[in-house]
Each structure stands twice: as structure tokens, then as C-alpha cells.
Amino acid sequence: MSANDFWADGEPVFDKAAPDGPVETRWERRKFAAKLVNPANRRKLTVIVVGTGLAGGSAAATLAEAGYRVKSYCYQDSPRRAHSIAAQGGINAAKNYRNDGDSVYRLFYDTVKGGDFRARESNVYRLAQVSVNIIDQCVAQGVPFAREYGGLLDNRSFGGTQVSRTFYARGQTGQQLLLGAYQALERQIGLGNVEMNARHEMLELIIVDGKARGIVVRDMVTGEITTEFADAVVLASGGYGNVFFLSTNAKGCNVTAAWRAHRKGALFANPCYTQIHPTCIPESGSHQSKLTLMSESLRNDGRVWVPKNAADCQKPAGEIAEADRDYYLERIYPSFGNLVPRDIASRAAKNVCDEGRGVGPGGLGVYLDFADAINRLGRKAVEAKYGNLFEMYERITGEDPYATPMRIYPAVHYTMGGLWVDYDLQSTVPGLFVIGEANFSDHGANRLGASALMQGLADGYFVLPNTISNYLAAGPFPKVTEADAPVVEARKLVEDRIEKFLSIDGDRTVDSFHRELGQIMWEYCGMERTEEGLTKAIGLIRALKEEFWTRVKVPGKGEELNQNLEKAGRVADFIELGELMCIDALHRRESCGGHFRGESQTPDGEALRHDDEFSYAAAWEYFGADGRPVLHKEDLNFEYVHPSTRSYK
């Protein structure tokens, strides 16, 4: 079977909502051209928002504030436990408070370049424009950003930039931003404008007359299945990094909401674009169920190194002389040093470990050393910046990072791929909008550090509330009832699937299948991919899928709290997604950003793009559980930041 036999080619896909003309005025012109809904009519319209992280929480609060009726759903026991709370390092904004040459255009340029020229210029420029409003919004909410001695907001640098534009709240920026969005959401809940449904998981999308009109949800405490209706549905359900089993994501993070939408007709774009974060605590053994992020902000002051000689790798770090240390990022990339983008830092760490110069168990680690920073700034200053991160590292590893260098290694952290959306953030299913990490729109093949929080809040506070009105202006739409055929069908799909899980009664746990899938994905669709490896992975995943549906054991009942049942549904979707990720990676015979094909690299081992063949977003159409996915291409046009060889040397 040749590589091309794994998929079929379809018609191109176009972003019909994107305005043309000067990029600087596209967003303002789009907002003006969009249809409006007058305040009295907003009260007649209902919007479902799935997810309560930065994107979902801010969107639900803003839509409710505008007068829409909002139903919000999350699988956590509280909206404030969404995984956005785990973000550490900061949020980018083109404020130029440091007067170091930053601007909206430079943030736009850095993001397009950082994404290896695989993102839309229109979307990225809008993101850079809106970034300045986000900080004002959050400060007004009381988010405690770090401040300089004079009281002004402080900034630090992140990878892929040469300016300081990252606003932060020590090492817990995500938590503080989420609490800001959460308090705005709770205010609307208290006013009766938002109906909050925690501990509910979306298991199916309801489409009536070609439009997204609701969802099927399961109460995770009682097991009750209900159908919920609205005039539009917004997915803010996060990324799919847990397809790798081991990742920095919370264990509950999953792809089910997005994948159910994909199966109902929403195109899934660039699934192979996954981000491997270079600074994570290395895996300690096969018992482990997740990995822990160490913020990229640590690379502001920490220096990354390994021994020059493999023979020194077993020595304690303090016994290796300065002359025998290889500060390889500073050596290879002198212009950016330790603050190169994540994909580049991760591959560099992999390369030195592959050379036999890795440290720690299994040789899968490199040092992140703060000795110079402590000597230069003093321990108290380092503690003020990174104290909670150092404490977390010591609790997990039992090692004091003030006295000995941290050991870090790359791990799955974020996914740039997601459901395809147009400029209005609407998917290929009318009435289904997708925001935050769940969509594909802003980061191309690699996300720059501190840009995830920026996108989530941009989409939720400023973009979606301005674009969804263009769709809702045609509403309210005809009433949907539980007796309607599409609703009955969607509910039956969920009930039959649950019954199937419970009836198999096999001899393998859900977690064993998930771990095996993760090993396949990491080995063949991780930091380096090849045609041979990806082809093998597709075969392995298909065999695993067949085995899953005959051997998985899901104890308990559906009408009760049943975490094994929850995990079974998520892993079944991860298995299908994993196959599509490998097919996407197989079809893209180039290296770009987080997608590195071993066959496509420069003589010195850097990523080699093929713009003449692959300057497009790959949007995949679902074609049945055993059918070939259909590839629809959206051509990417670069009028302002012209593709060039991405160099950080």
C-alpha cells in the first residue's frame, strides 16, 4: 500500500469570511460589515459554550454580558478547574512598555515566522492587534500581573523573540487569568444570564437542517443522558495532546467534543502539528501517567547544557568543569541563545541525547542551570521570579534547583491543529464556532511561548462576540424538540456507544490501550517522523483499534459515576484521531515547525520546508470509521511576511 492510498483528495476549502485589503484594517472592516443583533433580540437567542477555560469562560461571560442566553458546560467539578489554570509563564501583548522596538507588526511578524509560515496572515494580525486590549481587560478585572519597582507592569522574554512582551504573574499566569475570566462568568451566573452545568461531558453534536443546534451531554455523576438545544454552539474544549498518553495536559483533557463535531462534518485541520515543549521534567518510569511542565520563562535566566563528553554524563553536574560543558543552544543559535522557539529547542535536546550526551535516567535529559543567574542577581531575586516553579520541581524530583541544575526533557504540551474555522471562527458546520486551542487558526506549525493565553482570551473576549452576531442575526431559528429525528438519532448514537463499551467485557483496561497508543504516537509521530515509521504506525493503530473494540473492559454501569466509561469514550476517539494525525504527517512530505520529517532537513539538521508543494492548511473530512479521510486544501497567501528560511542563528 503506497502512502497516497491512505487518503483521498477533495475540493479546496476557502475562507469566505476573510476580508481583503490592507491587513491593518481588515478586522475593523470585518466588524463593521458583520450583521448586528439588537439588544432586545439577543434575549431571544441561546448559545451553548462547551468548555470553561480562558477561551470558553471569557466567551460565555462576554456573550452573557451582551444579553444572550448562555448555557455553559464543563466536565470539571468547577469552571475554574479548566486546564488553562496550569499555564505558567505569561501572556504576550504588543504594548512595547520596554520601549525595545516592539509593535503590533513585530508581534505579527514573530508569530507568522515562529509558526514556520503555515498560518493565515489575517488571523495572526488580528491576534496581535487584539493583544493590547487583553491586558487592559485583565488589569481592570484585578489580575495581579507582576510590576516593576515604579508600579508599571513588568515584562519578560519568551522564545522566538528579541523583545520583552510577555506579561506574567510569577509562575502562575494561567491561574490568575482564569480567575479573572471565572469571576466574570460567575457574575453572569449570579445574574441568571448563564446556566452553568459542571460535571457534564459533551458526547455528540446535534445538527438540524444543516446547522449546529445543540449537543448531547452525559451527567458524569448520575449518568443521565440529556439533549440540550441552542441557536449556536461554541466549542472551547482545548487541545488533544493526551493522544500521546504522557503529556503536560491534565489527565481529563480530551478530544471528544471536537472529534464528535468532526464526525458530523466539521473539517479537522493540520492534526499533525503538535508542540513538544523543551522544558519539562523528564519521565521517571513506566508507572507515570502524566508529565509536568517547567515554564519556558525559566530560559530567560537558566542556561541549557550537557557534558561535552559522553563519559561525563554519569558525574554529578557540580563535578563537571565549565570547560567541559556544552551550552549547545548558545553555541548553535547565538542570536537567540536559550530563547529559540520551542520546536528548535526540543529537537536540539533530542539530538544531544541521541549523541549519548543526555543526563539522568536513560540519558533522556539536559541541564537547565541557574548558577549564573543566582551569582548575578542573587538568590532572592531568582526566588521572587521563579520561586513557585522551583518549589514544584523540588517536590517532584527531590532535588534542590538552587543548588544543582534542573534536569529537563521535551514533552507533548500543545496542539496547533484543531477544527478548521474561517475568519469568523465558524467551522464548516454552520452555527458551530470553535475557539482557543480547539481550533487551528493562529499558530501555524509551531506556537510561540505565551501565545496560547493570548489566543484564548482574544477569541473569547474580543473576536467571537463580534463575529457570532453575523450568524445569529438570522435567528431565532425554528424550535428544536427532543422528538425531532436528528435529535433522536444523536441521542441514540450516544446510548448505543455506551452500551457497546459496557457489553464488550474484555480483558484489557482502558488505560493499557491508551498507554500503548501513546507509545506508538511518541515513537513514530513525535519529535521526528519518517514515511516508514508513519506507515508502520498507521498499521499498528488500526490493529489496536480492532483489539480495543473486542478486548476492552469497562466495569460498572452507565447510570452512575463511572470514570472507566468516561475514559473509554475518550480513548476510542484518541485512537481514531491518532490515525488521522499519522496520515496528515505522512502526506506532508516536508519539515515545518513542530512537524519534522527525517527525509526533509538541511545538511545541518534544520527543518526544510517545501513551500512550492505544502503552503496550505490541510483540512480533513471524516469519511466513516473505516473509510479514507478526504483532504481539502486551503492555500496560504503571504502578502506581508514572505516565507523565508527560518533562522535563529
Side-chain angles (χ1 to χ4, degrees):
M1 193 174 189
S2 70
N4 289 4
D5 292 332
F6 287 110
W7 72 88
D9 291 317
E11 294 298 315
V13 61
F14 300 97
D15 180 3
K16 297 178 182 178
D20 53 13
V23 72
E24 297 86 355
T25 61
R26 287 176 188 173
W27 177 226
E28 289 301 319
R29 286 185 286 112
R30 178 57 191 145
K31 285 193 291 183
F32 182 76
K35 298 173 185 176
L36 300 178
V37 180
N38 80 57
N41 285 341
R42 292 174 200 163
R43 295 192 293 270
K44 304 172 185 176
L45 294 162
T46 302
V47 180
I48 285 174
V49 180
V50 180
T52 57
L54 288 181
S58 60
T62 307
L63 292 172
E65 185 78 43
Y68 297 104
R69 294 179 302 188
V70 178
K71 296 180 179 181
S72 181
Y73 296 85
C74 69
Y75 67 79
Q76 295 90 350
D77 55 6
S78 166
R80 69 177 181 271
R81 296 198 68 182
H83 186 57
S84 299
I85 203 167
Q88 298 171 356
I91 178 171
N92 289 329
K95 286 285 199 180
N96 194 31
Y97 282 173
R98 287 291 185 90
N99 196 29
D100 56 0
D102 200 12
S103 64
V104 167
Y105 194 90
R106 187 173 295 280
L107 175 53
F108 161 62
Y109 173 87
D110 287 345
T111 305
V112 173
K113 177 185 175 184
D116 218 352
F117 306 96
R118 290 295 176 262
R120 297 177 182 149
E121 285 190 329
S122 293
N123 290 64
V124 176
Y125 196 90
R126 176 176 65 188
L127 180 65
Q129 282 179 301
V130 169
S131 71
V132 299
N133 305 120
I134 296 171
I135 303 304
D136 297 338
Q137 169 90 358
C138 295
V139 169
Q141 290 175 335
V143 173
F145 286 121
R147 293 180 180 269
E148 296 175 328
Y149 178 76
L152 299 177
L153 297 182
D154 197 11
N155 293 116
R156 56 189 178 197
S157 297
F158 259 60
T161 70
Q162 292 180 308
V163 297
S164 295
R165 64 163 69 102
T166 304
F167 296 78
Y168 64 98
R170 211 178 182 194
Q172 50 187 234
T173 313
Q175 179 180 2
Q176 300 305 324
L177 292 173
L178 184 60
L179 289 174
Y182 171 69
Q183 69 186 18
L185 176 61
E186 283 295 318
R187 176 174 178 270
Q188 294 302 320
I189 294 171
L191 292 171
N193 299 327
V194 175
E195 175 193 305
M196 186 65 234
N197 299 277
R199 302 294 285 159
H200 282 72
E201 184 169 23
M202 171 186 162
L203 296 180
E204 195 59 73
L205 178 69
I206 297 172
I207 298 179
V208 180
D209 296 329
K211 297 182 176 68
R213 294 302 310 276
I215 59 176
V216 182
V217 296
R218 179 177 180 270
D219 184 320
M220 296 164 65
V221 177
T222 67
E224 182 184 7
I225 306 296
T226 57
T227 51
E228 308 292 338
F229 309 125
D231 295 287
V233 176
V234 179
L235 295 187
S237 49
Y240 49 89
N242 275 348
V243 69
F244 289 89
F245 186 72
L246 287 177
S247 80
T248 65
N249 291 181
K251 285 299 292 177
C253 293
N254 64 83
V255 76
T256 290
W259 195 253
R260 296 290 104 191
H262 175 56
R263 289 175 66 110
K264 283 291 184 73
L267 300 185
F268 205 112
N270 302 332
C272 77
Y273 288 167
T274 53
Q275 180 161 91
I276 315 292
H277 198 294
T279 50
C280 302
I281 298 177
E283 181 181 354
S284 59
S286 59
H287 62 280
Q288 207 161 338
S289 62
K290 79 175 299 295
L291 298 172
T292 304
L293 172 71
M294 286 284 102
S295 170
E296 181 169 317
S297 63
L298 294 170
R299 289 195 277 144
N300 272 275
D301 292 304
R303 300 179 69 192
V304 181
W305 64 274
V306 292
K308 288 182 178 178
N309 304 307
D312 290 337
C313 291
Q314 302 304 316
K315 293 181 180 178
E319 294 181 11
I320 301 174
E322 186 71 18
D324 295 326
R325 300 180 179 187
D326 179 13
Y327 296 90
Y328 59 89
L329 291 177
E330 299 173 24
R331 171 174 57 81
I332 302 172
Y333 307 102
S335 293
F336 284 74
N338 294 296
L339 285 174
V340 292
R342 292 174 176 178
D343 59 318
I344 289 175
S346 292
R347 283 198 297 273
K350 179 182 183 297
N351 289 341
V352 295
C353 290
D354 288 349
E355 292 170 6
R357 296 192 289 140
V359 298
L364 295 177
V366 300
Y367 287 126
L368 182 61
D369 196 337
F370 289 86
D372 283 0
I374 292 171
N375 289 335
R376 184 177 75 252
L377 304 171
R379 173 169 171 152
K380 285 188 177 180
V382 172
E383 193 171 338
K385 282 185 175 182
Y386 311 117
N388 66 313
L389 298 172
F390 278 44
E391 180 184 354
M392 182 166 62
Y393 179 87
E394 185 171 7
R395 285 186 179 186
I396 293 172
T397 65
E399 300 172 3
D400 179 5
Y402 294 104
T404 187
M406 289 183 178
R407 286 180 295 106
I408 58 170
Y409 192 70
V412 175
H413 177 60
Y414 186 89
T415 53
M416 286 74 66
L419 293 180
W420 185 94
V421 292
D422 63 15
Y423 191 72
D424 285 354
L425 304 183
Q426 185 170 209
S427 73
T428 47
V429 175
L432 177 67
F433 293 78
V434 190
I435 60 177
E437 190 178 353
N439 75 30
F440 89 109
S441 64
D442 291 351
H443 305 295
N446 175 65
R447 177 177 67 76
L448 292 183
S451 288
L453 307 187
M454 175 174 63
Q455 185 207 351
L457 292 180
D459 287 355
Y461 281 135
F462 299 106
V463 180
L464 179 77
N466 281 292
T467 60
I468 198 171
S469 64
N470 189 65
Y471 176 80
L472 291 174
F477 300 104
K479 186 177 180 181
V480 177
T481 70
E482 292 192 10
D484 290 344
V487 179
V488 173
E489 179 189 356
R491 183 181 182 120
K492 190 173 187 307
L493 282 172
V494 171
E495 292 172 342
D496 289 350
R497 184 174 163 90
I498 290 173
E499 185 179 342
K500 175 67 173 174
F501 286 136
L502 296 171
S503 66
I504 295 171
D505 195 26
D507 58 357
R508 284 191 62 179
T509 65
V510 176
D511 277 349
S512 73
F513 282 104
H514 194 180
R515 187 181 293 274
E516 185 175 343
L517 172 66
Q519 290 168 343
I520 295 170
M521 296 300 296
W522 181 252
E523 179 69 24
Y524 301 110
C525 198
M527 277 193 281
E528 182 172 335
R529 297 101 181 249
T530 65
E531 180 171 333
E532 180 184 1
L534 291 165
T535 303
K536 180 178 180 179
I538 294 168
L540 291 172
I541 293 171
R542 288 178 174 176
L544 185 68
K545 179 181 177 181
E546 184 176 341
E547 186 177 354
F548 176 87
W549 286 105
T550 56
R551 291 186 59 190
V552 72
K553 185 174 185 64
V554 181
K557 300 182 296 185
E559 301 80 21
E560 63 182 5
L561 174 65
N562 190 336
Q563 292 185 318
N564 283 292
L565 179 59
E566 295 163 20
K567 289 190 288 187
R570 296 167 187 172
V571 172
D573 291 335
F574 276 139
I575 290 172
E576 291 188 3
L577 168 68
E579 181 180 340
L580 182 63
M581 289 172 65
C582 292
I583 291 173
D584 186 39
L586 182 64
H587 111 275
R588 191 171 284 277
R589 299 182 181 91
E590 66 162 354
S591 295
C592 56
H595 169 63
F596 189 81
R597 283 288 294 263
E599 306 94 334
S600 183
Q601 54 184 304
T602 63
D604 55 352
E606 300 290 349
L608 180 62
R609 295 194 323 271
H610 299 298
D611 295 334
D612 54 333
E613 295 181 72
F614 296 103
S615 188
Y616 60 79
W620 296 91
E621 178 185 357
Y622 184 76
F623 220 73
D626 299 313
R628 291 193 301 167
V630 179
L631 171 62
H632 302 272
K633 300 177 182 179
E634 181 202 341
D635 288 335
L636 298 173
N637 300 306
F638 297 93
E639 302 175 59
Y640 296 88
V641 185
H642 299 290
S644 59
T645 300
R646 194 173 59 137
S647 175
Y648 293 91
K649 295 186 176 182

